[in-house]
Amino acid sequence: MLRTIALSLMVLISVGIIIPLANSTAHGIRQGSVSSPKKVRRHSRVWWKRHRARLKRKRAAALAHRKAQAMRVLPETNLPGGTLRPNLQNLPAGWNTIPSANNTELKFRTTTSKEGVDGQAALAVVATSRPTPLYLSAHEQRRLISGVAISDLRRIVIDKMLDTNGWVTNDFVREVSGYRVFVVTAQTPEDGRSPERLWNFYFTEINGRIYSLTTTSSFQSANRMAQEAERFIASLHSGAGPKP
């Protein structure tokens, strides 16, 4: 009898403790699930109309810019006799023009090595400069040279290397005489008739045109050729007039 009474009291005490705890837990869950009402910012119909028009103009400008970036070598360019010919009065020492079968580029022979091994260089126009869209971020603008995507300029080099069984080794942007220049370095292997050659491609804007200066040299004269090429680019900018 006493055992039954003791068990009954224990059950009553347990129920008395569990019920308040359950009510407290349920109340806390209900409070946690009820969030404060969000403030919804309402705009007028005129505001939404102007907003959609701005987005439409931005998308159209971005599409037009992407289409313009796809343009490559200018078909109307005629460097040897055309008006796009740059000022070549201040060529570096040892640089001499040579005839070219391609009327869209100027070619040079260089004697920049102590061993008397000639290097070669070629100058061509590859694109027209374009205004940089105002909506681009600073990070996106650093990927452009006068409105032309660096990736498009790099693709020109990659295509050239595929044609000559070579490969790209590096690319970077640096300043030459205060102007941004995109530089791509590449290499071609020995083929039995000529030794390994190092290639440097320099892209810079002059008078609204993106010029490409391509140099090839031996490993021994690579550093000197790079110095001469930068002096050549500096002379092109000095002959183009003051920086805009």
Side-chain angles (χ1 to χ4, degrees):
M1 183 67 179
L2 292 175
R3 186 177 180 181
T4 303
I5 293 172
L7 290 173
S8 300
L9 288 174
M10 291 178 63
V11 170
L12 289 174
I13 292 171
S14 300
V15 172
I17 295 173
I18 292 173
I19 291 176
L21 288 175
N23 290 336
S24 177
T25 303
H27 181 69
I29 293 174
R30 285 195 300 270
Q31 285 185 339
S33 62
V34 177
S35 59
S36 58
K38 295 182 179 180
K39 294 182 179 180
V40 179
R41 187 175 180 180
R42 300 183 181 277
H43 296 287
S44 66
R45 187 174 299 177
V46 175
W47 186 93
W48 281 110
K49 184 177 180 180
R50 292 175 179 174
H51 179 67
R52 286 190 290 268
R54 283 195 299 269
L55 291 179
K56 185 177 180 180
R57 289 195 297 270
K58 184 176 179 179
R59 286 193 296 267
L63 179 61
H65 194 261
R66 284 195 297 269
K67 288 183 177 179
Q69 288 179 356
M71 186 182 65
R72 294 294 176 82
V73 177
L74 300 177
E76 70 274 11
T77 302
N78 191 333
L79 283 175
T83 58
L84 299 181
R85 181 188 177 101
N87 188 346
L88 300 177
Q89 296 179 355
N90 299 319
L91 285 175
W95 284 51
N96 301 292
T97 57
I98 58 176
S100 173
N102 186 353
N103 64 356
T104 62
E105 67 178 4
L106 292 172
K107 286 192 173 184
F108 309 90
R109 179 176 290 111
T110 65
T111 54
T112 55
S113 66
K114 296 180 180 180
E115 297 80 7
V117 180
D118 289 344
Q120 292 185 348
L123 182 69
V125 177
V126 294
T128 57
S129 62
R130 291 178 288 276
T132 302
L134 298 178
Y135 59 81
L136 294 181
S137 65
H139 177 70
E140 291 172 324
Q141 292 180 19
R142 286 194 293 270
R143 297 181 178 180
L144 303 176
I145 295 291
S146 297
V148 178
I150 284 177
S151 58
D152 285 346
L153 301 178
R154 186 188 297 111
R155 172 53 59 183
I156 296 176
V157 179
I158 293 173
D159 292 343
K160 176 70 173 179
M161 288 297 100
L162 289 176
D163 292 339
T164 56
N165 295 322
W167 59 91
V168 172
T169 57
N170 195 13
D171 64 79
F172 51 91
V173 176
R174 65 178 306 170
E175 283 197 2
V176 176
S177 298
Y179 294 85
R180 294 181 75 232
V181 178
F182 177 53
V183 185
V184 183
T185 61
Q187 183 178 338
T188 51
E190 181 180 1
D191 60 2
R193 293 175 298 177
S194 60
E196 289 182 306
R197 305 285 287 180
L198 291 182
W199 297 62
N200 282 352
F201 297 81
Y202 303 87
F203 298 92
T204 187
E205 184 272 336
I206 302 173
N207 290 336
R209 298 289 187 268
I210 305 297
Y211 281 84
S212 167
L213 176 66
T214 304
T215 65
T216 61
S217 64
S218 63
F219 277 74
Q220 293 78 9
S221 60
N223 290 335
R224 188 173 177 182
M225 172 65 94
Q227 295 172 1
E228 295 290 346
E230 291 193 9
R231 279 196 281 269
F232 178 63
I233 292 173
S235 72
L236 292 179
H237 282 292
S238 65
K243 185 176 180 179

